Amino acid sequence: MSSENLPQSPQQQRRKPRVAVVFGGRSSEHGISVVTAGAVLRAIDRTKYDVLPIGITTDGRWALTADEPERMAIADRSTPNVDQLTESAEGGVVLSVDPGSREVTYSEPGSVPKALGEVDVVFPMLHGPYGEDGTLQGLLELSGVPYVGSGVLASAVGQDKEYMKRVFTSFGLPVGPYEVIRPREWQQDPSAARKKIIDFAGEHGWPLFVKPARGGSSMGITKVDDLAGLDEAIAEAQRHDPKILVESLLRGREIECGVLEFEDGPRASVPAEIPPVTAHEFYDFAAKYIDSAPGLVPAPLTPEQTAEVRRLAVEAFDAASCEGLVRADFFLQEDGEFVINEINTMPGFTPISMYPRMWQESGVSYPELVDRLIQAALRRPTGLR
């Protein structure tokens, strides 16, 4: 019998790429990360990929979790957490930092570590610090494991709103007025730091938005109408980040645009508009995820305005050296000019989130969007590129 006709061993057969979906994390956006991961787990084509769900608890433990996306949804206006999904209260998942091995192991106290096999790509559904900010991306670079989304630098720039704005300014992209209060300024002389904000308000007017410099999902943000509410707003922002950002109110329409990496480079989706939310002071966490405030997709813009915001979104993607995906948020001011507010390198990714909705309207379904992101990550090498 010819060796060509001999049955192949399982090791010889071509196996499906294995995707580790990593979610949860140590940031205040832990809960919405779990919700997002549930949506991704439902959408991944199991005939095409093997899937390994890994949850990171709020104290930083990497845990093996059940592949049960139906348990990862908002219920009774509350978000789920990784501790509800773990298979053990003590067991931990470890990813090798040897770039020659993509082996994942699982161990519990007093037990022999168990090999879980190799991982071909990581889909990091983490929002905020310790996941979206370049820290996890650095670990994956050390491990030599491809991953969905931007690299270390772009992730860090996309998380820190101060440096994001500095990068955009250096590339000639329009940004609104802002001020930064660093931790040392507040610790050494709170009165001087407060005066810095008051002087900013004197120049640009009230109200102001006080927010964590390195946060997301609109958490920790307060709209401040006058001096009386300033200290409380600062304290709320500092619960999420010791560095705070102060922005002036930009009067205009809120416009968002998605960017997705295709084989020939990044492309922009149709834009969306976030209409004024009457039940909320602004488009905050509850409006986004709990009350599901509707966005207009596509945004009612002129063809010229649509072309301009799509161009600016791709420029912002390139300016920050992003990869994979980005949601770019703009204000269309009363004078007709666009100002970029921020980018999000791992935007809200539930089916009702604006990024998937914009791509759905652009002809890319949610499952196809997930698949394109995985394929883009598999094409892209780790390391300098």
Side-chain angles (χ1 to χ4, degrees):
M1 179 184 289
S2 168
S3 61
E4 296 178 7
N5 297 321
L6 289 172
Q8 290 184 313
S9 69
Q11 291 76 20
Q12 291 171 315
Q13 294 174 4
R14 180 179 176 83
R15 65 176 180 85
K16 293 182 288 187
R18 197 163 193 223
V19 182
V21 178
V22 180
F23 59 94
R26 294 164 56 189
S27 83
S28 56
E29 297 176 79
H30 177 101
I32 198 60
S33 170
V34 178
V35 175
T36 301
V40 170
L41 286 170
R42 281 191 292 271
I44 290 180
D45 183 352
R46 304 306 177 98
T47 68
K48 192 172 181 178
Y49 304 104
D50 286 326
V51 178
L52 177 66
I54 299 174
I56 301 178
T57 63
T58 53
D59 60 3
R61 178 172 64 93
W62 287 46
L64 192 61
T65 66
D67 186 4
E68 299 176 358
E70 65 276 3
R71 295 171 56 196
M72 302 165 71
I74 294 174
D76 298 324
R77 300 178 66 86
S78 297
T79 55
N81 64 69
V82 168
D83 286 323
Q84 299 168 340
L85 304 166
T86 58
E87 298 189 353
S88 166
E90 296 182 313
V93 175
V94 178
L95 178 67
S96 172
V97 293
D98 177 359
S101 169
R102 297 176 178 176
E103 190 78 22
V104 176
T105 58
Y106 174 76
S107 62
E108 293 189 39
S111 300
V112 177
K114 180 174 66 175
L116 299 179
E118 290 191 342
V119 165
D120 297 291
V121 62
V122 170
F123 203 133
M125 298 311 309
L126 294 154
H127 303 300
Y130 312 110
E132 188 184 349
D133 60 348
T135 50
L136 177 64
Q137 290 74 14
L139 172 63
L140 296 173
E141 291 286 351
L142 289 173
S143 301
V145 180
Y147 52 91
V148 169
S150 290
V152 175
L153 174 64
S155 297
V157 168
Q159 188 65 41
D160 191 311
K161 294 178 177 63
E162 175 194 359
Y163 287 97
M164 178 197 307
K165 292 176 186 292
R166 290 182 182 275
V167 167
F168 289 160
T169 300
S170 72
F171 276 82
L173 291 163
V175 302
Y178 68 96
E179 188 60 84
V180 178
I181 304 297
R182 291 181 170 78
R184 187 167 56 187
E185 292 180 82
W186 188 257
Q187 292 161 5
Q188 291 183 347
D189 194 341
S191 297
R194 191 180 294 107
K195 183 178 183 302
K196 189 175 174 182
I197 299 174
I198 294 170
D199 289 346
F200 178 80
E203 181 178 357
H204 299 287
W206 300 92
L208 303 175
F209 286 93
V210 178
K211 60 177 65 175
R214 295 162 291 194
S217 293
S218 299
M219 301 185 82
I221 300 178
T222 306
K223 182 183 177 184
V224 183
D225 293 311
D226 52 40
L227 187 58
L230 183 58
D231 282 2
E232 186 178 345
I234 291 171
E236 172 60 18
Q238 289 177 332
R239 284 200 316 110
H240 300 266
D241 186 352
K243 183 168 83 165
I244 66 172
L245 191 77
V246 180
E247 295 176 331
S248 63
L249 174 67
L250 292 176
R251 302 186 186 280
R253 299 161 60 187
E254 292 190 48
I255 307 295
E256 298 184 347
C257 190
V259 181
L260 178 64
E261 181 182 342
F262 285 74
E263 290 82 356
D264 59 351
R267 301 182 199 171
S269 69
V270 299
E273 179 170 4
I274 308 300
V277 185
T278 56
H280 300 264
E281 274 286 302
F282 57 95
Y283 193 47
D284 61 5
F285 179 86
K288 288 179 179 178
Y289 298 111
I290 304 299
D291 297 325
S292 301
L296 304 176
V297 187
L301 300 171
T302 67
E304 293 76 18
Q305 289 171 330
T306 296
E308 176 66 2
V309 76
R310 294 178 75 182
R311 180 187 69 81
L312 289 171
V314 172
E315 283 195 12
F317 183 96
D318 286 336
S321 299
C322 294
E323 295 167 302
L325 73 164
V326 149
R327 192 193 71 231
D329 301 345
F330 298 86
F331 288 101
L332 176 55
Q333 299 184 108
E334 294 171 344
D335 62 4
E337 297 298 315
F338 283 101
V339 170
I340 186 165
N341 184 39
E342 64 181 52
I343 58 170
N344 197 310
T345 57
M346 188 51 71
F349 210 84
T350 68
I352 66 168
S353 298
M354 295 308 297
Y355 184 86
R357 288 183 60 198
M358 287 187 286
W359 279 108
Q360 177 76 43
E361 187 67 24
S362 304
V364 181
S365 69
Y366 191 87
E368 182 186 351
L369 185 58
V370 169
D371 184 68
R372 281 190 171 277
L373 289 168
I374 294 172
Q375 289 297 317
L378 287 169
R379 289 194 303 269
R380 192 168 54 240
T382 54
L384 298 177
R385 53 188 182 273

